[in-house]
Amino acid sequence: MKQAVFTLTENEALTSRFSLLRLQGDCSAIHTPGQFVSLSLPGFFLRRPFSVCDWDEQSFSLIVEQVGKGTELLRTLPAGTKLDVLTGLGKGFDLSRAGDAPLLVGGGSGVSPLLGLARRLLEQGCSPRVILGFPGREDLILLDELFRLGIAPTVTTDDGSFGIRGRVTEAMDLPHSFFYACGPAPMLRAVCEKSPVSGQISLDARMGCGFGACMGCTIPTAAGPKRVCKDGPVFDKEDMLWTD
Amino acid sequence: MDRLSVSLCGIELTNPVIPASGTFGYGHEMAELYDINCLGAIALKGTTLKPRFGNPTPRIAEAPAGMLNAVGLQNPGVDAVIAEELPRLQKVFHKPVIANVSGFSVEEYAEVCRRLDDQPQVGWLEVNISCPNVHGGGMSFGTDPAAAAAVTSAVKAVTKKPVIVKLSPNVTDIVSIAKACEGAGADALSLINTVMALRIDLKTRRPILTNITGGLSGPAVFPLALRMVWQVSRAVRIPVIGLGGVSSAEDVLEMMLAGAAAVQVGAANLRDPFACPKIIQALPAALDRLGADDIRELIGGAHG
């Protein structure tokens, strides 16, 4: 983990709910897709955690969904804004378990870490297949970025306005060697139950610190109590208890 | 002695800055980030007799200039703390630590303290009679002078270590609780624990926290904490550790002027993991601006 000042270089509204932000600074603490960063916002006490969408040495990108006052402010910040950022937080996806044909499943803002993950899986020579789920066609994000990597994602929409009508699990029938998923908890549970193979999921949580000190985001797992921020946010399918 | 050093119950601290219980775990996470030996001491995560999962999430909510938590004393239990956490901490922190103890009965407090009594790295026991996030324990001992005194004397009977009693601000008269603890043999007091508070989610129209209420901490509570440190330090002869919203070197000095012999930093650690080393580094210059040679000359200085 590192603390550094980053400069906002892009802040583009992708849809009514989602913006793509790019921040420039020292990214040396980011090692694995699925790790997250935590931004300090002027006027807010707690930091805001976001999964890294993609990154290189000098910058990272984020998908920010407007859920409250903090994300509302973040979506309006102009390029050039300096932000205090903790980078390299949490345990990301384990790429060594991907196999030849891993399946990547994302829902809503949960599609974010799948871009950086897909890029690195391609680099290590596997052929990832991607399924993305959204409420409707006006909510689609990151499709162009995946096309540029040479991946044609399967898209599902709740209202059938684009791609396959229904949930991401409707598109999961093809065989896969392993799966990686990020999205709302009910989706993650359905993906874990539908897939016959092992996989990893990335969880969202209301966090206090984001680095394991406050025990604010602890969940029960088959391997005992785990902090989403420090022991996760990526967890093995087999460890999930789905208590909710 | 260095100009920042203070004494707490006969143990010298190289500076008065101590991360508060519950904001620093058992030290390992922070030790990955910086050399934690710069700290005066560490107040460890609240420990109970048996392992506790704590409350269901969400456990955290934001507040203007602060936060609410309802963690509910998640901890691995005193035996695991002794077997695993203390030996791990000993490798990265070479000073005495404050073991924070919680319980649901007088007997439980005493038993946890008895088990910690022969741990060489534990310099002090901090008895938490003020956790607002558990039911039938914690704060219920800290809101009644007789119960506070009963816990204090039960703990004093089983340990040779100095006993710090951590007080709740959720009372009408904190001075009467403080005096009861002093009368029962407490060696020091720490205050304040968090302030019982509530946030409601407008979308769901329900409380954000599963526990409904949580403890407010952060800069929002600093003036309230300062007032109580002032009141208590006037009324007792034992040292007072000031905490509640301390976020800067100036806040530390203000707490000491109000009467604090040492200062704990809580929520600030969660917003900025480097808060404590930054505060310690800023203390000499802050003292210079006051024209003070030695930090000890500030303790209680505002009382005139």
Side-chain angles (χ1 to χ4, degrees), chain B residues 8-9 13 16 18 98 124 126 164-165 188-192 229 238-243 255 259-264:
Chain B
L8 187 61
C9 309
L13 311 184
I18 304 165
I98 301 174
W124 309 260
E126 183 177 57
I164 305 163
V165 182
L189 302 169
S190 55
L191 59 135
I192 58 173
V229 168
I238 52 179
V240 171
I241 303 171
L243 74 151
M255 267 294 179
V263 173
Q264 293 183 0

Side-chain angles (χ1 to χ4, degrees), chain B residues 111-188:
Chain B
E111 182 57 23
V112 177
C113 289
R114 193 187 62 73
R115 294 189 194 187
L116 287 165
D117 185 55
D118 57 2
Q119 291 303 307
Q121 205 186 359
V122 174
W124 309 260
L125 294 169
E126 183 177 57
V127 180
N128 177 9
I129 55 166
S130 43
C131 178
N133 297 324
V134 295
H135 304 279
M139 196 172 81
S140 57
F141 293 100
T143 51
D144 171 59
V151 173
T152 306
S153 43
V155 167
K156 279 296 288 180
V158 297
T159 183
K160 299 173 291 297
K161 296 189 191 292
V163 170
I164 305 163
V165 182
K166 186 167 180 178
L167 302 184
S168 171
N170 305 303
V171 294
T172 311
D173 178 14
I174 195 167
V175 169
S176 64
I177 312 279
K179 282 184 165 166
C181 295
E182 182 184 38
D187 299 286

Side-chain angles (χ1 to χ4, degrees), chain A residues 174-192:
Chain A
L174 285 175
H176 47 276
S177 50
F178 193 77
F179 73 85
Y180 301 96
C182 184
M187 183 204 95
L188 296 176
R189 181 177 191 167
V191 170
C192 285

Side-chain angles (χ1 to χ4, degrees), chain A residues 112-134:
Chain A
S112 176
L114 302 187
L115 181 65
L117 174 63
R119 183 190 306 283
R120 280 153 190 86
L121 287 171
L122 288 168
E123 283 167 8
Q124 74 177 37
C126 37
S127 311
R129 210 162 65 78
V130 179
I131 304 170
L132 305 180
F134 301 99

Side-chain angles (χ1 to χ4, degrees), chain A residues 1-6 26 29 38 40 47 83-89, chain B residues 33 271-275 278:
Chain A
M1 192 206 88
K2 264 195 182 172
Q3 182 175 37
V5 174
F6 278 71
D26 175 5
S38 199
S40 178
R47 287 171 183 271
L83 292 169
D84 173 341
V85 185
L86 301 178
T87 57
L89 297 169
Chain B
L33 305 181
R271 177 180 165 73
D272 180 354
F274 300 96
K278 285 174 184 171

Side-chain angles (χ1 to χ4, degrees), chain A residues 213-215, chain B residues 8 13 15-30 34 36 39-47 74 81 85-86 89 93 95-101 116 121-128 164-166 189-193 241-243 262-267 269-270 276:
Chain A
C214 76
M215 315 291 157
Chain B
L8 187 61
L13 311 184
N15 66 69
V17 177
I18 304 165
S21 180
T23 65
F24 215 78
Y26 293 95
H28 328 300
E29 290 77 15
M30 299 299 202
Y34 63 89
I36 58 175
L39 303 166
I42 297 171
L44 304 179
K45 174 80 184 136
T47 299
Q74 182 189 341
V81 168
E85 301 293 348
L86 287 174
L89 179 57
F93 188 66
K95 296 175 174 179
V97 299
I98 301 174
N100 183 289
V101 173
L116 287 165
Q121 205 186 359
V122 174
W124 309 260
L125 294 169
E126 183 177 57
V127 180
N128 177 9
I164 305 163
V165 182
K166 186 167 180 178
L189 302 169
S190 55
L191 59 135
I192 58 173
N193 205 317
I241 303 171
L243 74 151
V263 173
Q264 293 183 0
V265 175
N269 292 309
L270 307 182
C276 283

